[in-house]
Amino acid sequence: NLTKSFEFIMIIDKIDTLYELFTILDTDLKSFNGDILKLFYNEFLKYSCDSEGKVGVVLTPDDIVELMVKELNIKNGESLMDCCTGTGSFLLKAYRLYKDLKLIGCENEYIRYSLVKINFILNNIDYSDLYYNDCFKQTFPMTDHIILNPPFSTNQSSEDEKTNHNSERKFCLYQLDFLKEGGTGCWIFPRSNFNNSMKKFNDFKKEILENCQVLKIINCNPNLFGTKAKSECA
């Protein structure tokens, strides 16, 4: 399926110009230590809005990615799962910081899945546990660590309660099913999930506290994701 993303190359008139561009990029990529595909994708997302003019998909800033990965206290040879992988920033950062790490990811949007898979290939990372699927329909292996920046209040509905993606809380609780006892997790999502006393938020907090020990809560700057996507997160 991945080749579908590159079919446009076959019909480009000035293929020599494209080849020259690829040659330049190849040289630059080898000296660049960041996630170049995420950087490229993020530039286009700056202009992405929904029908109401609200900002669309917003990826996790690099400094927050590194902070969250380091908070997990990962050891070499352990496993890390991100069920909303996006372009793979969390997994790629962990790969650069730790050795022999088993990476597990899932992404259901085709362009982002293509980007993360290409990122894995470019970095010679095993992608056998990288899934192109709705995470709620995917069963994952048990893992030592989980990490997540879920879609915020996506308002997608489904008759099947398990695949009703109408809140970030469902992504978090579903991911917990695959965390080993004694493992650690790190999420970033709206702070309203903690400081709201409505039943659905209380039920969420109750389920977390019945299954986990909360080690730390870090409050983020409201402009963390940019002024257009202002959201108070933790």
Side-chain angles (χ1 to χ4, degrees), residues 203-218:
D203 289 345
F204 174 63
K205 288 179 280 190
K206 183 173 183 287
E207 187 160 354
I208 289 177
L209 293 173
E210 285 177 346
N211 291 280
C212 308
Q213 178 185 0
V214 177
L215 301 175
K216 187 183 295 186
I217 296 176
I218 302 172

Side-chain angles (χ1 to χ4, degrees), residues 96-111:
R96 293 188 174 107
L97 292 173
Y98 308 99
K99 302 299 181 185
D100 303 319
L101 193 62
K102 181 181 178 64
L103 301 177
I104 305 161
C106 187
E107 176 57 46
N108 74 335
E109 200 280 324
Y110 186 74
I111 293 176

Side-chain angles (χ1 to χ4, degrees), residues 88 90-96 98 101-104 116-130:
F90 286 128
L91 300 182
L92 286 162
K93 178 63 70 175
Y95 171 78
R96 293 188 174 107
Y98 308 99
L101 193 62
K102 181 181 178 64
L103 301 177
I104 305 161
V116 66
K117 189 165 185 179
I118 294 163
N119 250 331
F120 271 49
I121 292 169
L122 289 174
N123 288 278
N124 198 29
I125 303 172
D126 177 14
Y127 54 81
S128 58
D129 288 303
L130 184 63

